[in-house]
Amino acid sequence: DQQVKQNSPSLSVQEGRISILNCDYTNSMFDYFLWYKKYPAEGPTFLISISSIKDKNEDGRFTVFLNKSAKHLSLHIVPSQPGDSAVYFCAASAWYSGAGSYQLTFGKGTKLSVIP
Amino acid sequence: DSGVTQTPKHLITATGQRVTLRCSPRSGDLSVYWYQQSLDQGLQFLIQYYNGEERAKGNILERFSAQQFPDLHSELNLSSLELGDSALYFCASSATRGAATNEQFFGPGTRLTVL
């Protein structure tokens, strides 16, 4: 039972255009959301995050939007660059009382290809 | 470079064998997490250690175990290996035991191939 879903395994975008990566979640207890980027042969690296009390967070070319009522978030990259080609993972954070800590749940990832 | 190191990078072994994967967290980080990424799967959380103690368990098989040593490095032991255990295994570290922001820093991973 996937609690964090990235329904598009891949996405191709022309350089300079907007890339929109989507993520849906089912657990209403998630209260923080993160995007990680992964290049081949490397581990994921943190990109941008958003708290559940906000609906938008922007960092340079990257903007994350959160729609809590729809349990949906999206990552916008504008303008897209060839160096943005990577796998993007959506992750959600929730408190687990048994662990006494927050834990991350990841989606399966979306492979973004930016075409020059 | 995240500051998290993992060894070895690649491991090829046979079914039924046992292997040990090693992780050194970023300097100062007390939490270590282990994840498994199988083909077409997301990152599946396996287990977390904080300052030497197990904090949380995810989808970790009984054939798998882990520990965190006093110097904070961690090892993931996989035994009675099966073909389905072939995957990328990532280690991540964070400064806290698990804060809401929970930014984790990932190592480059160990690719395990079971033949």
Side-chain angles (χ1 to χ4, degrees):
Chain A
D1 179 26
Q2 269 195 286
Q3 296 188 62
V4 178
K5 297 179 183 179
Q6 294 178 257
N7 292 319
S8 298
S10 62
L11 175 69
S12 289
V13 172
Q14 287 288 128
E15 180 179 4
R17 306 294 289 269
I18 184 171
S19 294
I20 301 176
L21 295 94
N22 293 305
C23 177
D24 296 294
Y25 62 95
T26 57
N27 188 347
S28 58
M29 300 304 291
F30 289 139
D31 55 12
Y32 207 82
F33 302 89
L34 306 88
W35 285 93
Y36 279 80
K37 179 167 75 171
K38 183 185 179 303
Y39 292 118
E42 295 182 11
T45 56
F46 170 75
L47 184 60
I48 192 170
S49 63
I50 187 167
S51 166
S52 61
I53 63 173
K54 295 187 175 182
D55 56 17
K56 178 182 174 181
N57 187 28
E58 193 171 352
D59 183 3
R61 297 185 297 113
F62 302 91
T63 302
V64 56
F65 295 92
L66 175 62
N67 182 334
K68 279 191 71 176
S69 60
K71 293 191 175 68
H72 176 83
L73 65 155
S74 60
L75 174 67
H76 293 210
I77 306 174
V78 184
S80 300
Q81 300 173 354
D84 296 329
S85 297
V87 176
Y88 289 79
F89 290 99
C90 172
S93 181
W95 175 262
Y96 287 90
S97 57
S101 65
Y102 283 86
Q103 298 296 327
L104 288 180
T105 302
F106 284 84
K108 291 186 177 182
T110 296
K111 183 177 182 179
L112 173 66
S113 299
V114 180
I115 304 161
Chain B
D1 184 357
S2 67
V4 179
T5 60
Q6 289 186 250
T7 56
K9 282 190 176 181
H10 302 278
L11 198 49
I12 301 175
T13 188
T15 55
Q17 295 297 305
R18 171 190 166 95
V19 297
T20 297
L21 312 184
R22 183 188 168 102
C23 168
S24 292
R26 288 190 322 158
S27 176
D29 282 358
L30 298 178
S31 272
V32 169
Y33 307 79
W34 286 98
Y35 291 88
Q36 178 193 57
Q37 185 185 16
S38 302
L39 193 64
D40 295 330
Q41 294 293 316
L43 293 157
Q44 299 290 318
F45 169 66
L46 295 178
I47 197 165
Q48 177 202 1
Y49 277 81
Y50 175 77
N51 203 19
E53 293 189 2
E54 182 184 303
R55 290 300 304 184
K57 268 187 174 179
N59 299 321
I60 188 166
L61 300 171
E62 286 192 9
R63 300 183 284 110
F64 297 0
S65 64
Q67 54 185 327
Q68 186 180 28
F69 295 87
D71 66 353
L72 301 178
H73 91 271
S74 178
E75 293 181 355
L76 179 67
N77 301 297
L78 315 176
S79 61
S80 302
L81 285 168
E82 302 175 359
L83 295 177
D85 297 327
S86 296
L88 266 171
Y89 290 85
F90 288 103
C91 167
S93 73
S94 69
T96 68
R97 69 179 185 185
T101 57
N102 217 2
E103 182 179 343
Q104 298 177 16
F105 297 85
F106 284 79
T110 292
R111 181 171 292 280
L112 173 66
T113 302
V114 183
L115 300 175

